[in-house]
Structures are given as C-alpha cells and as structure tokens.
Amino acid sequence: MKKQKTYKVGVYLRLSRDDGDNVESQSITNQRAVLDSFLKNSKEQLIVINEYIDDGYSGSNFDRPAWKQLMIDVNNKKIDTIITKDLSRMGRDYIGMGQYIEREFPEKGIRYIAKEDDIDTLYETPGIEYLQFKLMFNDLYLKDVSKKIRRVISTKKENGEYLGWKGIYGYKRDPNNKHKLIIDEEVRHIVERMFNLVLEGYSPRQIANKFSEEGIPNPSCYANLKRGTKTLSSNLWCARTVEELLTNPTYIGHLTQGRRKKLNYKSKKEVRVPKEDWIIVEGTHEPIIDKDTFVYLDPPYRPISQTANFTSYNADCFDDNEQKRLASFIDEINLSGAKIML
C-alpha cells in the first residue's frame, strides 16, 4: 500500500476593515473555525506547522508581517502547503495574487488551498477554472471599496473633522474629541519662533540649520518621543519640513488636510496635492499664528521669493498682479545679494 504523503501546512488568516470586510463573516475567529473544520475532516495528512495572522492589514499588497514570515518559512522548507478560507484572505491584488499562485508557488513546489473558492492547486478542482475571474473580481471589489472610503474620508475632512493619527506639529488631538485639534504648549514656542525667524529674513534652510544646531527635535522625532517610541530617523531638520509648516493654514486656525494623497488604491507612495485642491475649513481651532504674519504664497504656490532670502508679507494688501510684480522685484533684489523685508 502506497504511503500517504504528509503536508506541512501554514494556515493564513487576514482581516482588514479597509478592504470592506464584513467583520462578522470574515473575522479571524470565523476563518479559523472554517479551516479547523476543513482540516479535521480531511482524509489527507495535513499537519499544521504554524498559524499566520495579519489582523488589520489590507489585501491590496503583500507588505504584511505575518505573510512575510510565512514566505520565510516557505523558503526554509518549513511549509509546503498554504491554506486560506478564500482567495481574498490571501489578498485582493490581481497581479500579485497571479504572481504567487501561477508562478512562485509552482516553482517552489507549494500547494495552495482556498477552501471556500474550491481551489486546490494540487488537483484540477472546479475553482481553478475560474481563478482569473475571481482574482479580477476581488481586485475590482477592493477598488470600489477604496473609492467609497475615500469619499467618506473627504466628507469628514470637509466637515472640519481632523483625521490624522497624531496632531500637526504644534497641535495635539483633543483627548475629549480626537477629531479636534488643541495647541501643544510644549512646542508652541517653536512654531512661533519659526514664523518670527521668517519675518527676520531667515530662509527655510537657515531655520532648519538653526534648529538642528540647537538640538531641537524635528516633528517626527518629537512625535516618537511623545509616544515613548525610539526613533530611527535623523533628528535633523530639513528645509522642506520647515517650508511645509510655514505654508500650512492650520496655524492660523484653518484646518488644512489633503495636502498629500496616495498615487492609487494599491500604492503607498504619496504625492503632493496642488494648493487649490487642499481641503481647508476655517475657524476650527485656536490659532498659533496671527493671520497678518502668516507666510503667504503667490499663485504658483511657491514661496514668493525662490532665493534663500525667504520673504513674507500680508497678502491682503496686494492683488494677484501686484503679487507677481512684487515677486519679480524681490527675485532681482535677492539675486544682487541684498536682503529685503516687507
């Protein structure tokens, strides 16, 4: 009698509300129960080596800790069979899923089972025939859910609800209302000083160098210190950070969000959004900076002076054409090596 093969199983479970998962039907507990029943009733020697859980990770990509560990165990020959409740638990990215199921798994001798989609790559199960359609459907579902979530988020922002996980530098989330900002008195003076230095003629680069030399924690380091997290990034300030702070209307009490956005629903990369597309709601919180001293931008949304001598002025005093002529004049003055204050 032929000896039955033993399969080394990795059970993979995933849940993400960002994917629009129905919490009750797709819960980790439910997935585990379905697969436990399947394994118990199987006539094959399916031995569970480990259970891998990514709770709270989107299926739009495979940048997930438990999945990465599963792939390490696959490469180390600890696992030769992967089981999920259905295809969407493994992922919803059409291209990525196809890469794994049709190329990487076969090349590495990995058997994949999606129980409720009737897919078992060891056999010609009925689900295999419709694999591409199911992968495409899951991807389209993710895209549709992503659009709906973006609309909800946009509406909340337009209603003046702050949606960041931490406050903008100089502010913190109100402990009584996480969607409202209150001033962080610990660094308020840093923000005020930054704007005052601009009025004294300092450029963003000069301000960044000054703060770095004085050992003032930059915004990301400060946020980590407040959370008690060790920072791996540099404590140095950069000119871009300073400029982003100086041009943020949040400091005059106008909540400004949507200054960056992801390229698409699959990518983590963010790109800058033109100023005309920012979501700005006026008078949502206490200002740190007086409106008259705020650093304004000219129509192309760059500092009015492109030289190191970053210049501020009260925009209410000039119309758009006057601002353009003023910008040209300031550029000429700065190119000559002189400094100008308005």
Side-chain angles (χ1 to χ4, degrees):
M1 183 177 178
K2 185 177 179 181
K3 185 178 180 181
Q4 192 175 30
K5 180 177 178 179
T6 298
Y7 293 93
K8 298 177 289 185
V9 176
V11 173
Y12 182 73
L13 315 173
R14 185 186 67 81
L15 180 70
S16 170
R17 288 182 174 83
D18 288 345
D19 290 357
D21 292 339
N22 182 297
V23 177
E24 183 175 349
S25 65
Q26 296 289 16
S27 70
I28 297 298
T29 301
N30 176 269
Q31 293 176 53
R32 183 183 290 115
V34 170
L35 296 183
D36 282 349
S37 176
F38 169 74
L39 291 165
K40 181 180 179 180
N41 296 320
S42 176
K43 296 180 180 180
E44 296 184 276
Q45 293 294 318
L46 300 173
I47 308 301
V48 177
I49 303 301
N50 202 355
E51 183 181 79
Y52 305 83
I53 303 174
D54 278 321
D55 193 352
Y57 288 86
S58 173
S60 62
N61 61 73
F62 290 91
D63 186 16
R64 317 172 211 142
W67 179 263
K68 289 180 178 179
Q69 184 58 54
L70 174 56
M71 291 301 99
I72 290 174
D73 291 347
V74 163
N75 292 331
N76 291 334
K77 309 297 182 182
K78 294 180 180 179
I79 300 293
D80 60 22
T81 301
I82 297 173
I83 300 180
T84 62
K85 178 176 177 283
D86 55 48
L87 283 167
S88 69
R89 297 307 91 207
M90 177 177 159
R92 295 187 184 273
D93 177 22
Y94 175 75
I95 297 175
M97 289 287 289
Q99 176 75 15
Y100 274 114
I101 296 174
E102 298 186 331
R103 177 171 297 180
E104 292 196 30
F105 288 172
E107 290 178 355
K108 295 177 179 178
I110 300 301
R111 177 184 180 183
Y112 173 62
I113 300 172
K115 194 270 179 187
E116 294 195 344
D117 283 320
D118 199 12
I119 289 174
D120 187 336
T121 57
L122 184 63
Y123 307 107
E124 288 296 323
T125 53
I128 294 290
E129 186 176 351
Y130 302 100
L131 175 62
Q132 294 300 326
F133 293 102
K134 290 182 178 181
L135 294 180
M136 189 177 297
F137 175 81
N138 285 337
D139 196 301
L140 290 172
Y141 176 80
L142 176 64
K143 184 177 183 179
D144 180 60
V145 169
S146 177
K147 286 182 179 179
K148 291 177 180 177
I149 291 176
R150 286 201 303 271
R151 283 198 292 268
V152 170
I153 290 175
S154 180
T155 299
K156 287 180 176 290
K157 289 179 178 179
E158 290 168 358
N159 289 334
E161 295 184 38
Y162 180 68
L163 300 183
W165 65 270
K166 63 181 178 65
I168 297 166
Y169 187 73
Y171 287 95
K172 58 185 179 182
R173 296 194 301 178
D174 188 335
N176 298 317
N177 181 358
K178 66 179 182 180
H179 297 304
K180 181 179 176 59
L181 292 176
I182 58 175
I183 294 176
D184 184 350
E185 297 295 343
E186 290 188 36
V187 292
R188 176 179 188 156
H189 67 287
I190 301 296
V191 175
E192 292 173 333
R193 183 183 175 203
M194 179 171 58
F195 278 87
N196 287 332
L197 286 171
V198 173
L199 296 177
E200 293 174 15
Y202 282 76
S203 70
R205 169 61 60 190
Q206 291 170 326
I207 294 173
N209 290 341
K210 191 174 188 62
F211 285 0
S212 296
E213 290 169 0
E214 295 178 9
I216 299 172
N218 64 35
S220 61
C221 289
Y222 177 72
N224 288 333
L225 287 171
K226 295 296 290 183
R227 289 187 297 159
T229 304
K230 184 177 181 180
T231 181
L232 299 177
S233 59
S234 169
N235 192 38
L236 299 178
W237 287 70
C238 65
R240 177 60 63 85
T241 297
V242 173
E243 187 171 329
E244 285 192 346
L245 297 179
L246 290 172
T247 57
N248 192 337
T250 297
Y251 293 114
I252 57 174
H254 303 338
L255 183 60
T256 304
Q257 300 181 94
R259 298 180 73 186
R260 292 173 176 271
K261 68 176 182 179
K262 290 185 178 180
L263 280 174
N264 55 54
Y265 68 102
K266 293 183 180 180
S267 175
K268 287 187 175 183
K269 183 176 181 180
E270 292 187 336
V271 295
R272 295 174 182 277
V273 174
K275 185 179 179 181
E276 62 266 28
D277 294 328
W278 294 356
I279 299 176
I280 303 176
V281 182
E282 298 186 0
T284 57
H285 55 275
E286 182 182 355
I288 294 179
I289 302 301
D290 186 274
K291 183 179 179 181
D292 292 333
T293 61
F294 184 70
V295 178
Y296 287 89
L297 304 178
D298 68 1
Y301 311 116
R302 58 176 172 78
I304 190 168
S305 169
Q306 288 186 330
T307 70
N309 300 316
F310 191 83
T311 305
S312 67
Y313 66 104
N314 188 339
D316 294 336
C317 299
F318 306 94
D319 61 29
D320 285 351
N321 288 330
E322 289 173 327
Q323 288 184 52
K324 291 177 182 179
R325 291 196 297 271
L326 182 61
S328 177
F329 170 72
I330 290 174
D331 284 343
E332 291 179 8
I333 294 294
N334 284 331
L335 286 173
S336 71
K339 287 188 177 182
I340 184 169
M341 284 281 302
L342 296 178

